[in-house]
Amino acid sequence: MKPKIWLSSPHMSGKELPYINQAFESNWVAPLGPNVNGFELDLKTYLEEDRHVAALASGTSALHLSLILLGVGYGDEVICQSKTFSASANPIVYQGATPIFVDSERETWNMCPIQLETAIKDRIARGKKPKAIIAVHLYGMPYKVDEINNVGLKYDIPIIEDSAESLGSEYKGQKCGTFGDLSILSFNGNKIITTSGGGALVTKTKSLKEKAVFLATQARDDAPHYLHSHIGYNYRMSNIIAGIGRGQMTILDSHVSNRRSNHEFYLNSLKDINNIVFLQEPNGHFSNRWLSCILLESMTIREGLRLMLEKENIESRPLWKPMHQQPIFKEAPRYLNGVSDELFERGLCLPSGSNLNDDERDRVLSTIKTYFNA
Ligand SMILES: *Cc1c(COP(=O)(O)O)cnc(C)c1O
């Protein structure tokens, strides 16, 4: 069996261990400490805008806290991009609220601003104004930020920016992770940088960050005994994990350029094969190309290629199955235009790690060429 080629695997810089050793030497083996503060500062500096960062246990916990900070509760409605990973939508249910799914547009594969407005109007007509909008920059491609923000502003609904897949991406020269009223990042094992597991919440004010940290550390009131006037969570990032993050921040930009060069490689080498479609960057959109994705002519062709890659011990994956197609969300209201269903049928993510070497890329390429007799 040839060695496995992963879709996206952790890629260490070599600078992580000194931070972890420091944590051991100073005995900061806790969900607070110098690495947590340092990692937050590294992220804040990287994002450039005037933002505040709370390092958390996961991207999912950051999404959950976002909803809590926006006052989402039992019986509320929250709009969510249908084409995404389930972690974007699950926290809505944690809060006892109802997800309202909105379809994608073709240019970025993310939330369609037209469908978004249709959904908002209809929910209001039915008697409930949505409490928040969760928009996602899938696979690193920024959503149509101006258009989505304009709809949010028009109806005065806050936006939660799910930037889990798009650290390092930009829209009109501004970093993703700074566009939402609240934004979230993920450092899970397969993301653009990883802390093994982890996430962050990005806020526009210091007081919102402080409130998030308060909730994430069991909501202890200021008293010598344990006093609680809020329900708390154990969502803070550990100081050991944050040490990995500090090391990873030193090579984030090179990870982005490696991922972009994977995409270039696939694009240039497959462009002569008929009917393989790549997602282009619209004007003003800069994608970290977290995953390189292609569209095939049909689901049959896509599955055939996936299985052939699998036989060669190469991992590939269909695009996210839309949330409105998931059994768990079959009752949820949805506003559809057919785009995300079609993308799911035709789309495949190819190996995209920043640590992919030339031999591995050539193995992927020759398997695809064999499949198409090219
Ligand atoms: C990975 C991911 C999340 C969840 O982040 P975790 O850190 O794994 O909890 C949320 N949304 C999207 C789009 C993701 O890809």
Side-chain angles (χ1 to χ4, degrees):
M1 188 74 132
K2 288 178 191 148
K4 175 98 175 178
I5 299 178
W6 299 97
L7 193 69
S8 175
S9 69
H11 185 190
M12 294 297 110
S13 69
K15 301 208 171 108
E16 291 81 8
L17 276 175
Y19 288 107
I20 295 176
N21 286 334
Q22 267 171 31
F24 272 77
E25 281 155 17
S26 55
N27 205 28
W28 280 107
V29 185
L32 78 166
N35 283 338
V36 175
N37 300 338
F39 186 37
E40 288 180 343
L41 188 60
D42 292 344
L43 286 164
K44 185 178 157 74
T45 307
Y46 185 80
L47 295 176
E48 288 177 68
E49 301 299 307
D50 184 19
R51 296 291 185 276
H52 303 267
V53 180
L56 299 171
S58 63
T60 309
S61 56
L63 281 160
H64 190 197
L65 288 182
S66 302
L67 294 168
I68 295 167
L69 290 171
L70 293 174
V72 171
Y74 186 79
D76 286 336
E77 293 187 349
V78 174
I79 289 183
C80 183
Q81 183 165 318
S82 188
K83 190 161 193 63
T84 186
F85 176 46
S86 62
S88 305
N90 287 336
I92 301 170
V93 181
Y94 302 168
Q95 283 307 96
T98 304
I100 310 290
F101 292 115
V102 167
D103 215 325
S104 293
E105 34 78 8
R106 283 179 195 282
E107 280 172 85
T108 74
W109 300 353
N110 296 311
M111 187 182 275
C112 170
I114 298 165
Q115 290 294 317
L116 172 62
E117 183 157 17
T118 304
I120 294 172
K121 281 183 174 160
D122 189 55
R123 299 326 291 174
I124 293 174
R126 287 165 188 267
K128 239 179 223 179
K129 183 169 132 179
K131 273 276 184 93
I133 297 162
I134 301 175
V136 190
H137 309 293
L138 275 191
Y139 306 117
M141 180 63 78
Y143 58 74
K144 294 188 172 184
V145 173
D146 285 345
E147 287 87 338
I148 297 290
N149 279 352
N150 285 341
V151 178
L153 283 173
K154 181 169 171 188
Y155 293 91
D156 192 24
I157 303 174
I159 292 174
I160 298 172
E161 178 194 13
D162 181 342
S163 198
E165 300 177 2
S166 60
L167 182 58
S169 299
E170 294 173 15
Y171 176 80
K172 295 187 174 172
Q174 185 180 328
K175 292 272 187 327
C176 287
T178 62
F179 292 109
D181 292 277
L182 291 162
S183 305
I184 73 102
L185 303 170
S186 166
F187 315 113
N188 207 332
N190 62 0
K191 298 286 156 73
I192 189 106
I193 61 165
T194 181
T195 59
S196 69
L201 179 68
V202 183
T203 69
K204 286 183 170 170
T205 66
K206 192 157 176 265
S207 70
L208 265 181
K209 177 203 162 164
E210 283 165 355
K211 199 161 172 202
V213 170
F214 168 77
L215 292 170
T217 50
Q218 306 287 22
R220 278 178 59 194
D221 293 339
D222 195 9
H225 49 278
Y226 276 60
L227 179 69
H228 302 278
S229 48
H230 290 268
I231 292 290
Y233 302 86
N234 187 1
Y235 279 174
R236 196 70 162 128
M237 179 179 277
S238 121
N239 193 55
I240 305 291
I241 294 293
I244 309 177
R246 295 217 70 189
Q248 289 273 285
M249 283 307 283
T250 63
I251 35 91
L252 171 53
D253 282 334
S254 90
H255 278 15
V256 172
S257 71
N258 289 354
R259 297 228 179 208
R260 286 179 63 83
S261 98
N262 288 334
H263 187 268
E264 280 297 294
F265 170 82
Y266 288 129
L267 180 67
N268 290 333
S269 6
L270 295 171
K271 65 172 183 275
D272 295 333
I273 299 181
N274 272 348
N275 306 323
I276 294 186
V277 176
F278 287 81
L279 181 62
Q280 308 284 333
E281 286 171 323
N283 251 339
H285 294 242
F286 176 89
S287 170
N288 68 14
R289 298 292 188 188
W290 173 55
L291 295 184
S292 291
C293 308
I294 53 175
L295 297 181
L296 290 315
E297 260 184 298
S298 69
M299 187 185 251
T300 315
I301 293 174
R302 185 263 276 163
E303 261 314 275
L305 176 57
R306 191 185 68 78
L307 291 171
M308 182 149 179
L309 288 163
E310 190 173 271
K311 224 187 272 163
E312 293 295 315
N313 212 16
I314 297 169
E315 186 186 20
S316 67
R317 191 195 288 155
L319 301 194
W320 298 124
K321 186 179 175 90
M323 290 305 110
H324 69 264
Q325 286 196 39
Q326 300 289 351
I328 195 77
F329 293 126
K330 63 178 187 293
E331 309 289 341
R334 68 268 327 266
Y335 294 85
L336 305 180
N337 56 17
V339 173
S340 63
D341 287 341
E342 186 195 322
L343 291 172
F344 172 61
E345 284 181 12
R346 295 176 51 202
L348 193 67
C349 307
L350 299 175
S352 305
S354 46
N355 48 3
L356 219 56
N357 62 36
D358 287 347
D359 289 346
E360 291 171 322
R361 296 203 297 204
D362 286 338
R363 247 178 77 201
V364 178
L365 181 63
S366 73
T367 308
I368 299 175
K369 284 191 161 166
T370 306
Y371 181 71
F372 286 101
N373 300 311

